[in-house]
Amino acid sequence: MSGSELALEVKDLRTTLFLREGRVDVVRGVSFQLKQGETLALVGESGCGKTMTALSIMRLLPDPPARVTHGQVLLAGADVSRMPEHQMRSLRGETVSIVFQEPLTSLDPVFTIGDQIVEAITSHRKLQRGEAREMAVEILKEVQIPSPGQRLKDYPHQLSGGMRQRVMIAMALVLDPKVLIADEPTTALDVTIQAQILDLIRTEQEQRRLAVLLITHNLPVVSQVADRVAVMYAGEVVEEAPASEIFSDPRHPYTQGLLSSIPSAAGDHKHLYTIPGRVPDPRVLPPACLFAPRCPYALRRCWQEHPELEATVSAGHADTSTQPDRHLLRCWNPQPFTALQAIEPQEVDRRIATSE
Amino acid sequence: MASYLARRTGYMLLILTISSVVIFYALRTAPGGPSGGGVLNPLSSQEIRQAYDKRMGLDQPVYTQYFIYLGHIVRGDLGTSLANGTPIVELLGTHARNSLVLGLTALLISYVIAIPLGVLAAVKRNTWVDQLAMGGAILGMGIPNFWLALILVYFFSLRLGWLPSAGCCDPPQLILPALVLAAEGTAVTMRMTRSSMLEHLHDDFVRALRAKGLPEWQVILRHVLRNALIPVISLTGLRLGWLVGYALIVETIFRWPGVGYLLVDSVLRRDYPVAQVFSLLLIVFVLLANWFADIAYGLANPRIRVA
Ligand SMILES: Nc1ncnc2c1ncn2[C@@H]1O[C@H](COP(=O)(O)OP(=O)(O)OP(=O)(O)O)[C@@H](O)[C@H]1O
Ligand SMILES: [Mg+2]
């Protein structure tokens, strides 16, 4: 694959929170690549560092307390990590855009939709207000907002949740960026609206050959739209593979756990699998596999050595470690996937207690 | 809307009626009276005083006087000053204008100082800029009006001789009373601007605005400030009300011939007609200011405006 085709590349990113109690790495050594026209889904439980990864890419971390302390982010080949702020600013909205989870609070309540889209345009392009308004109407039409001319005069609270998210997407796309980061774009919406918004993102992506980083903890969503999936756990990517493989042949016990906890995958609605235990406290991480305390297959080694993210040979494939559809895994003891049974949580807790 | 207006107006008339009774009664039960040294020469004889009271109708029972007075008011006759015979309509014109000039200047000064400093303090939170501004605010809120007036007069008039210590109505004479009148409001507005800015600086939409690539000054001054000003603007209505109270003190100290000055003067002289009209005028003003506070809040906040 040629380097120029990469829209976004994250290399060994580490993001640290500087808290009163000390330093906490909430993103640890995350790397991934995103080509034009490709969708990478970043999945994982709440608090595993997905938003922090996204904000690190945009250089919009809340500082203090958060700062990128290691690694690189390349946007369309340009290293943004050490860019001066004014240059980074000119990339936001122009080259990389982000759509947040909560569309109501992401819009300024005291300005109209029109003002807010127009200002996104004019802060990058030297255009007359009228021309910018025309662009705004066009983009609203494109994201299928009815009577866009009227909507420009509305305030955010006058629109429905789904419409507001369409506005956010319109605003993100109006300058035709290369990369779109969508941080749980449908979590705050009704189920029926969720599908429409995903459709919209999918359509826009195909039309514009957008690179999409889709952050979610909703695996069914992933199966609909993603080309590749990176599974995050406690700030690390533990498995990365083409979406079809993640669903057909997940290797990491955590990924397997996530899949087993989807109702349709487990088949049995009464005994839905839940991954036992909790996410580890990121302030005191042991030099071991971070998932070991919750893992049904943990070996002695898992408690003693931290596994690296490495290419793996998946069933029915040749060694693809250098190929774009490679399967990366961070695990000492991968097991074939059989939807996990609903293990009694107490049993696992006992196992954790004895192995510690 | 029509019913809202009717309700507001009815409520105002009710308050005015009640207060007019209270004021009327309080003035007349206060010791002395126009004939007891306020208007007449304090050394005038008992006969002269009685004759004066009879001529003015002041010997009638208070409620009779009230209804006679009410009759005049309803016909649009505000009466004349007992002290010098000037028609009260005339006094209203000049004194109300002077008070407005003073009040608006004070308001302007306080916003011009308070809002930029409040923004700066919020953006530079916990730096010396913030601490200096907030220290100043605490001083501005804690220091009594008359004390501040004395200090300013001492330095700028007596020591430095830069500004006149009292009088009306040139710009130099306006400066000191306007500063004193502005002091507390400046402090309150500055603190409110700061805390409201701090509240909105961490709103989700601020991050979203930065994500659009807006320059930081535009995020702060156009968006955060605009949101932060909503409570500040609605505070203006209340501040107008407070200004009325302070104007009594400040106008008296600086002998600024405004409504407050005349009111204090007329009460001391027991110049009943003037005291009555001017105290009611101040009440109307406070009521209107509170009303304005409601409207301003709605105008500043589109979520209320449309709903
Ligand atoms: N301002 C902050 N101060 C302290 N800790 C923070 C702050 N912001 C985030 N964190 C911590 O950083 C970690 C990663 O948070 P992040 O928001 O990236 O998680 P996430 O994967 O996006 O979760 P979610 O699915 O809930 O959005 C969490 O443990 C969170 O508690
Ligand atoms: Mg998040």
Side-chain angles (χ1 to χ4, degrees):
Chain A
M1 108 191 82
S2 75
S4 63
E5 220 194 315
L6 285 180
L8 171 65
E9 188 172 10
V10 174
K11 286 187 191 167
D12 202 18
L13 177 73
R14 184 169 68 214
T15 302
T16 307
L17 293 179
F18 293 82
L19 303 173
R20 205 161 295 152
E21 308 94 86
R23 300 168 51 137
V24 182
D25 294 338
V26 285
V27 176
R28 272 180 282 99
V30 166
S31 302
F32 56 79
Q33 299 178 337
L34 190 51
K35 285 183 290 185
Q36 272 179 39
E38 190 185 41
T39 299
L40 173 69
L42 199 56
V43 302
E45 277 167 290
S46 191
C48 70
K50 306 183 295 291
T51 298
M52 286 293 156
T53 305
L55 294 179
S56 305
I57 295 169
M58 298 290 295
R59 287 201 12 200
L60 287 174
L61 287 169
D63 177 15
R67 235 178 306 150
V68 172
T69 44
H70 190 259
Q72 276 180 312
V73 174
L74 303 174
L75 265 175
D79 185 355
V80 305
S81 328
R82 284 167 221 14
M83 226 173 235
E85 174 59 25
H86 70 93
Q87 205 175 338
M88 183 65 218
R89 181 184 81 69
S90 68
L91 294 184
R92 296 189 193 115
E94 184 84 70
T95 308
V96 57
S97 282
I98 184 164
V99 173
F100 293 103
Q101 173 173 343
E102 183 44 76
L104 179 58
T105 57
S106 296
L107 287 160
D108 184 338
V110 304
F111 284 87
T112 61
I113 301 299
D115 279 342
Q116 299 191 53
I117 302 180
V118 163
E119 137 192 281
I121 300 168
T122 53
S123 60
H124 291 277
R125 309 261 165 97
K126 292 223 177 322
L127 286 179
Q128 298 295 317
R129 243 190 105 76
E131 296 171 294
R133 279 183 69 86
E134 272 166 36
M135 279 178 79
V137 171
E138 276 310 306
I139 193 75
L140 287 185
K141 216 181 279 171
E142 191 178 316
V143 299
Q144 294 148 38
I145 289 182
S147 47
Q150 279 311 109
R151 294 290 79 76
L152 286 185
K153 295 183 205 117
D154 284 345
Y155 287 92
H157 69 272
Q158 292 170 287
L159 301 181
S160 69
M163 280 300 144
R164 282 195 282 260
Q165 198 58 297
R166 282 175 195 272
V167 168
M168 293 310 290
I169 293 172
M171 197 143 41
L173 296 180
V174 70
L175 297 174
D176 202 21
K178 290 193 160 49
V179 181
L180 176 69
I181 301 175
D183 188 356
E184 312 207 14
T186 60
T187 309
L189 305 174
D190 294 347
V191 183
T192 47
I193 310 290
Q194 285 185 4
Q196 295 173 11
I197 294 292
L198 285 174
D199 267 353
L200 175 65
I201 293 178
R202 189 79 191 161
T203 314
E204 288 297 332
Q205 175 190 40
E206 279 163 10
Q207 275 178 18
R208 296 166 180 267
R209 296 214 353 106
L210 267 175
V212 175
L213 178 63
L214 178 69
I215 295 175
T216 179
H217 47 228
N218 186 341
L219 281 168
V221 163
V222 171
S223 64
Q224 286 175 45
V225 297
D227 299 309
R228 292 181 63 79
V229 178
V231 180
M232 270 186 91
Y233 183 76
E236 294 177 332
V237 173
V238 292
E239 184 166 16
E240 190 202 317
S244 54
E245 264 182 56
I246 285 284
F247 287 94
S248 65
D249 184 24
R251 296 315 219 46
H252 198 284
Y254 178 63
T255 315
Q256 295 180 355
L258 284 181
L259 287 171
S260 304
S261 53
I262 305 174
S264 59
D268 182 352
H269 288 242
K270 266 190 201 139
H271 300 284
L272 204 55
Y273 181 74
T274 48
I275 303 172
R278 278 180 295 120
V279 183
D281 182 350
R283 283 166 297 184
V284 280
L285 291 175
C289 171
L290 300 177
F291 189 62
R294 303 172 73 186
C295 181
Y297 311 124
L299 308 171
R300 176 171 295 274
R301 188 182 192 189
C302 303
W303 292 96
Q304 290 165 347
E305 268 180 82
H306 185 74
E308 292 303 315
L309 187 65
E310 281 166 349
T312 170
V313 186
S314 54
H317 287 263
D319 184 342
T320 54
S321 56
T322 56
Q323 297 305 306
D325 57 345
R326 69 215 162 126
H327 192 139
L328 302 175
L329 182 64
R330 191 191 287 278
C331 181
W332 292 129
N333 186 25
Q335 299 288 321
F337 179 47
T338 49
L340 288 159
Q341 299 305 310
I343 302 172
E344 290 300 312
Q346 302 92 305
E347 189 190 326
V348 178
D349 284 345
R350 189 155 27 81
R351 217 163 12 168
I352 293 168
T354 49
S355 51
E356 261 169 351
Chain B
M1 191 65 202
S3 83
Y4 169 76
L5 273 178
R7 214 156 5 103
R8 271 285 179 170
T9 316
Y11 167 75
M12 249 164 98
L13 283 176
L14 181 69
I15 298 223
L16 276 180
T17 311
I18 295 172
S19 8
S20 71
V21 172
V22 172
I23 291 164
F24 202 87
Y25 187 76
L27 277 171
R28 262 145 258 255
T29 48
S35 59
V39 172
L40 286 191
N41 183 334
L43 301 177
S44 28
S45 69
Q46 187 73 27
E47 290 79 47
I48 292 182
R49 280 194 239 162
Q50 274 169 359
Y52 181 84
D53 285 350
K54 199 166 165 65
R55 185 152 54 86
M56 293 299 171
L58 294 172
D59 55 344
Q60 311 259 0
V62 174
Y63 64 85
T64 315
Q65 291 184 40
Y66 180 77
F67 284 110
I68 293 171
Y69 180 69
L70 201 61
H72 284 283
I73 294 288
V74 168
R75 272 175 275 138
D77 173 15
L78 298 182
T80 55
S81 162
L82 293 180
N84 51 28
T86 320
I88 289 176
V89 180
E90 236 170 74
L91 291 175
L92 262 182
T94 54
H95 289 259
R97 201 198 64 223
N98 289 343
S99 281
L100 272 182
V101 168
L102 178 61
L104 290 180
T105 310
L107 215 56
L108 195 72
I109 291 176
S110 68
Y111 283 130
V112 166
I113 297 174
I115 291 175
L117 279 182
V119 171
L120 203 65
V123 173
K124 305 263 176 213
R125 187 185 189 184
N126 292 337
T127 63
W128 65 270
V129 181
D130 182 22
Q131 279 155 6
L132 200 70
M134 286 308 106
I138 288 172
L139 212 66
M141 287 196 310
I143 197 166
N145 261 318
F146 61 88
W147 180 235
L148 179 63
L150 291 180
I151 294 174
L152 291 183
V153 166
Y154 178 73
F155 276 104
F156 291 101
S157 309
L158 302 183
R159 270 302 175 84
L160 300 168
W162 289 354
L163 294 167
S165 64
C168 179
C169 299
D170 303 325
Q173 289 167 317
L174 178 60
I175 294 176
L176 287 185
L179 278 178
V180 173
L181 200 53
E184 174 157 356
T186 307
V188 173
T189 307
M190 184 154 73
R191 282 171 62 105
M192 181 163 229
T193 306
R194 175 183 179 270
S195 66
S196 183
M197 285 289 292
L198 286 177
E199 224 169 85
H200 289 290
L201 270 174
H202 298 288
D203 278 355
D204 282 354
F205 73 78
V206 175
R207 193 176 60 185
L209 289 168
R210 291 188 180 124
K212 290 198 292 189
L214 255 51
E216 188 63 15
W217 65 264
Q218 199 172 336
V219 173
I220 303 284
L221 293 185
R222 185 168 146 94
H223 291 274
V224 180
L225 180 58
R226 177 68 178 71
N227 277 275
L229 279 184
I230 292 174
V232 176
I233 290 171
S234 47
L235 183 74
T236 303
L238 296 178
R239 283 195 49 203
L240 289 175
W242 304 341
L243 277 182
V244 168
Y246 296 137
L248 294 183
I249 302 168
V250 173
E251 289 183 355
T252 305
I253 295 176
F254 288 97
R255 316 202 118 266
W256 181 268
V259 174
Y261 174 78
L262 191 61
L263 178 60
V264 171
D265 185 64
S266 60
V267 168
L268 292 178
R269 284 163 168 260
R270 305 286 186 271
D271 190 345
Y272 294 156
V274 176
Q276 277 153 205
V277 168
F278 277 77
S279 49
L280 285 179
L281 176 70
L282 292 187
I283 290 171
V284 170
F285 184 80
V286 171
L287 289 174
L288 285 178
N290 288 346
W291 190 359
F292 170 75
D294 283 1
I295 295 172
Y297 186 72
L299 286 181
N301 190 344
R303 278 161 295 189
I304 306 271
R305 198 192 309 162
V306 186

